[in-house]
Amino acid sequence: AGPVSEVVGRLSSGAIIGDLSLVGLGFPRIASVRAKTSIRYIRISSAGLLSTLVCFPGFLGTSEGWLSLAAESLQKILPAKSEVVRSLSLFAGFGMDFISDLAVAGERRVVIFDSVLIAQGSAGGTLSVLEHGRCSVDVFGNKVAEIPTGNCFGERTILGSSEAHATIRVCTPFALILQTGAQVQFKSEFHQVGGAKFEQ
């Protein structure tokens, strides 16, 4: 037998269907919304909404409080920071002492749409794990790639790169990142344990 459908709520005129904090992530919906009467509605695609935000970033100004609450709720169900770091293939083969030290030095940050996390040409110094949201990778003002949830960026700083080769910018309504800012203390062990392998 398939899953049993359960009614968990009802919507009336003026309701907004969809979660702004999940726009652009491609996550599967956890519930279905079914019309019980004839209705008229306006559908705004994720791409359309994100395009609007590019032109009118102040649109989120009235939603920042709500997004912060959503981010706060999200953090309560995220895995421990050490588990997040350990899940990265970048650190495969490293000991738990190193993983724990890196996690302790990490801080979770909530950043809003269009925030620049790394500017091209800037000095390095942080390793970041994207726990929620997506970021664009821009080179000389042109978008060349996107970073999805579960990936890290800024790892070149561990390898001694003097400056960032691209700009990393939040391209969803908000992003939640785990960021470490004290890379000097980790460089030595990184090179001893797996730096050569990563450089390859």
Side-chain angles (χ1 to χ4, degrees):
V4 178
S5 178
E6 178 184 357
V7 176
V8 295
R10 286 180 169 79
L11 302 174
S12 57
S13 297
I16 297 175
I17 302 171
D19 192 330
L20 183 61
S21 65
L22 299 179
V23 168
L25 296 180
F27 288 170
R29 296 187 180 277
I30 61 173
S32 298
V33 178
R34 188 185 307 275
K36 291 296 188 180
T37 63
S38 297
I39 64 171
R40 291 184 178 181
Y41 66 97
I42 299 174
R43 180 182 180 276
I44 305 175
S45 67
S46 294
L49 180 57
L50 293 175
S51 295
T52 301
L53 291 180
V54 171
C55 298
F56 305 99
F59 169 76
L60 279 180
T62 57
S63 304
E64 283 195 26
W66 182 85
L67 289 175
S68 295
L69 287 175
E72 184 177 329
S73 298
L74 180 64
Q75 291 186 63
K76 294 177 181 178
I77 61 174
L78 288 173
K81 291 187 289 185
S82 58
E83 293 180 28
V84 174
V85 175
R86 187 171 54 186
S87 70
L88 298 174
S89 59
L90 176 64
F91 298 115
F94 284 75
M96 277 308 299
D97 287 343
F98 176 87
I99 297 295
S100 297
D101 288 346
L102 191 60
V104 168
E107 177 185 1
R108 279 181 165 135
R109 293 179 53 211
V110 177
V111 282
I112 302 301
F113 175 83
D114 208 38
S115 297
V116 173
L117 303 177
I118 297 177
Q120 184 177 3
S122 64
T126 60
L127 170 70
S128 301
V129 183
L130 185 59
E131 295 190 89
H132 178 87
R134 295 181 74 89
C135 293
S136 65
V137 181
D138 304 335
V139 177
F140 299 116
N142 297 313
K143 182 177 176 179
V144 297
E146 282 194 0
I147 303 172
T149 296
N151 287 271
C152 65
F153 53 91
E155 64 274 11
R156 288 179 180 272
T157 60
I158 299 181
L159 298 174
S161 179
S162 59
E163 62 181 37
H165 293 78
T167 294
I168 309 298
R169 187 188 307 270
V170 179
C171 62
T172 46
F174 82 91
L176 182 64
I177 62 171
L178 174 60
Q179 187 174 71
T180 63
Q183 295 303 321
V184 174
Q185 61 182 305
F186 303 118
K187 285 182 180 179
S188 176
E189 182 172 350
F190 183 88
H191 279 285
Q192 291 174 9
V193 179
K197 175 184 175 182
F198 177 71
E199 286 177 326
Q200 292 174 1

